[in-house]
Amino acid sequence: MPNRPLPRFPEPDTEPFWEATKRGELAYQQCNRCNSLVFTPRAHCDTCGSPDLAWKVSKGEGVIYSVSVVVDRNGDYAVAYIDLDEGFRMFSTVVGVDEPMKNLQCGQRVRVEFEPQEESEYLIPVFRLV
Amino acid sequence: MPNQARTAAIVGIHEWPKRLDPDVSAMQIKAASISRALDDAGLTWKDVDGLYDANDGEGGGGLGMAAYLGIKPTVIDTTSVGGSSYEFLAAHSLADIAAGKCNVAVMAHGGKTATQKFATGNRFANSPQPPSWQSNMEVPFRNTTVSSYALVAARHMYQYGTRPEDFAEISATTRYHAMRNPEAVQAMTDLLFADIREITVDDVLNSRMIASPLHLLECCLISDGGGAVVIAAADVARNTKKKPVWVIGNGQATKYRENGGDVTVSAAAQSGPIAFGEALLRPDELDIAMIYDSFSITVACILEDLGFCKKGEFGDYVKGGRLRFDQKGGPALNTDGGALSSNHPGFRGLFLLMEATRQLRGESTSQVPGAKLAVAHGNGGLLGHTHAAGTIILAAD
Ligand SMILES: [Zn+2]
């Protein structure tokens, strides 16, 4: 089972996002005043300043905006910006790809998957090519 | 307010010569550099009435620095925006001098990054204590400093058809200049570079991959070092030892990740037009471009964003060595060797101001004959992520 570095708490902006991962949900926020999407999570709308935000659940499908493969002695791994279809951009990774440096590119479709961790009840949202 | 007025000028500089210096503190580097930069100007410790600090070294910001130096300035400014801090501080000193709040401003940098073996490369970026709204959304994915920039480079390639050799030309150009700078050559020797010589585009592409598409020779080195800059009011500057180098334009900006944003556009797209507008100049009129070269992609984006070429076209622009000091058709880029091949103790923005000053005085080791106009552009934080941009336009009489 993977053992990634984990988010730490208390951290009030991001805690609801991570709680939602336990339910297999990729959560984002929308402003009730101006309808703007808010991501990454915070307690105010970064378009109009309103504190009145609603939590929504993403379908978890999107496209790779950019991707880099980090060369690491414990195995190369990808980092990526994912543009979710709802319109927010998330920093994550793409897993399950042979030779990621060759086979991962901007523009590829991906879907979220919630990866259990050895030492945490939070699930980490990672992406796979579809 | 258009400002080609000669309000304040860089009148003194000192660059710490060593890049590996285990026996000094960062504070000692800062204080000794201020003393030598004042000597360079023909000014004294007692003349200093403005202290501008980036909160680097062992510290305390402007407050701690005033106590360490033993001065009681009338202006203390502690602006810490990473590598662009000194472009912000220079702009603030200009405004304070114009407002009559001080006459002789000093700013210094000291860093011990090499001695402390502080890995700024594939270290995880943004993992502060305690956790933050940003770090908690990033740490599980093991983002690093290099991969933050690599994500911009990868998108640049996808969006504009940029080729790896386009980025590599920037590394080859800065090394061409570094090999003419004895302090940079000594730096590469002290920092145990394997093969110290001019490099080709192929050398860069054959160096090992760090985070795709960025190779080792596209990443800045990690050094000790520092320096100091003295900026003075016009009536002081007219009577100092060296030719004054006037600050004739400045702009500052920030940029950060946004939903739907374009990571290939940096904050320079905002700070550059403000600075060039104040200076009443176009980029193609400049002789010297000192651009923060933390990575090859940093220079690529900033050249485009400042308007030296169209967005996405830096590859054609830099082709054939156009930005080397002995070539025509463009400004000379990072003529001291830059962060890629000379030094990077932490906040490199100060060195951009220093080498631009050397060029406009005629003192560079890769001197452009008759250089009159320069831009120094600092980028702090992480390109493509949360970053700050400071653009300073400098002119010789
Ligand atoms: Zn709103």
Side-chain angles (χ1 to χ4, degrees), chain B residues 132 176 287 296 324:
Chain B
S132 80
Y176 186 73
D287 304 301
S296 57
R324 296 180 186 210

Side-chain angles (χ1 to χ4, degrees), chain A residues 47-66:
Chain A
T47 299
C48 78
S50 171
D52 183 12
L53 306 179
W55 282 98
K56 309 256 172 173
V57 178
S58 167
K59 288 200 171 71
E61 293 179 11
V63 65
I64 296 176
Y65 175 76
S66 191

Side-chain angles (χ1 to χ4, degrees), chain A residues 9-121:
Chain A
F9 304 100
E11 203 300 296
D13 280 323
T14 56
E15 196 155 0
F17 172 89
W18 288 107
E19 285 297 318
T21 66
K22 296 180 186 170
R23 305 187 293 271
E25 293 176 358
L26 188 68
Y28 65 100
Q29 292 162 290
Q30 188 165 17
C31 177
N32 283 330
R33 187 202 277 171
C34 77
N35 286 326
S36 297
L37 294 192
V38 178
F39 196 87
T40 59
R42 63 201 82 177
H44 64 276
C45 170
D46 59 339
T47 299
C48 78
S50 171
D52 183 12
L53 306 179
W55 282 98
K56 309 256 172 173
V57 178
S58 167
K59 288 200 171 71
E61 293 179 11
V63 65
I64 296 176
Y65 175 76
S66 191
V67 60
S68 170
V69 174
V70 179
V71 177
D72 188 83
R73 70 172 84 90
N74 298 316
D76 299 354
Y77 61 91
V79 294
Y81 291 122
I82 309 297
D83 276 348
L84 280 299
D85 291 346
E86 290 84 359
F88 66 94
R89 181 172 298 166
M90 181 178 173
F91 186 82
S92 183
T93 182
V94 183
V95 300
V97 184
D98 289 335
E99 294 190 73
M101 215 177 282
K102 195 163 55 164
N103 293 319
L104 285 176
Q105 289 150 22
C106 302
Q108 289 171 318
R109 292 286 303 171
V110 291
R111 181 180 297 132
V112 76
E113 175 177 305
F114 289 89
E115 184 187 78
Q117 303 299 306
E118 208 170 294
E119 289 175 5
S120 172
E121 48 190 332

Side-chain angles (χ1 to χ4, degrees), chain A residues 68-70 79, chain B residues 120-125 143-153 209-216 218-220 294-295 297 382-383:
Chain A
S68 170
V69 174
V70 179
V79 294
Chain B
T120 49
N122 271 347
R123 173 178 66 99
F124 302 153
N143 191 32
T144 70
T145 302
V146 185
S147 61
S148 294
Y149 287 78
L151 285 162
V152 181
M209 193 69 86
I210 305 295
S212 64
L214 295 179
H215 304 80
L216 177 67
E218 297 177 77
C219 305
C220 69
S294 45
F295 298 90
I297 179 64
L382 297 169
L383 194 76

